[in-house]
Amino acid sequence: MKILLICLGGSLGAVSRYYISSVFNKIVIGHLSIGILSVNFIGCFILGLLINNLDPKYEEIYNPLLLIGFLGSFTTFSAFSKETLDLLSSGNTILAVTYVFSSVFMCLLGTYLGMVISKI
């Protein structure tokens, strides 16, 4: 059952990441598309919301479905790494460093805001 929940959540997360990052990739700041950055922020924000609102008695369901499956495939540091290395290989060192720091900051901020808002 656990594997099925991970598969279900993972497939929904991957499809969601694809569509949401496609929408945000149309927004370009400088030479930086913000699709994966936006998805990582949204995923961390959702994580923050869920942390304070999930009932521990249902952990066997929501952990594999939502946390491991959906959010695990929705947020992606593999795509983040590729985009960073692409920026570096094209000589955009400052943009690459900015992207790395922005990604980490936005993900931490998203999780924190989700946790704060979920307590309201």
Side-chain angles (χ1 to χ4, degrees), residues 1-39:
M1 180 66 163
K2 188 177 196 176
I3 298 299
L4 290 175
L5 290 171
I6 292 170
C7 289
L8 176 62
S11 61
L12 293 173
V15 170
S16 298
R17 179 183 69 228
Y18 172 77
Y19 282 110
I20 292 172
S21 67
S22 295
V23 168
F24 280 98
N25 271 334
K26 294 175 182 169
I27 302 168
V28 177
I29 300 173
H31 293 285
L32 183 65
S33 61
I34 62 166
I36 295 301
L37 177 64
S38 299
V39 164

Side-chain angles (χ1 to χ4, degrees), residues 79-91 96 99:
F80 158 79
S81 298
K82 182 188 180 302
E83 289 181 357
T84 302
L85 292 173
D86 288 345
L87 288 169
L88 287 170
S89 67
S90 65
Y99 186 61

Side-chain angles (χ1 to χ4, degrees), residues 97-113:
V97 170
T98 301
Y99 186 61
V100 168
F101 284 107
S102 298
S103 294
V104 172
F105 175 77
M106 293 298 288
C107 290
L108 291 172
L109 178 64
T111 301
Y112 175 74
L113 289 175

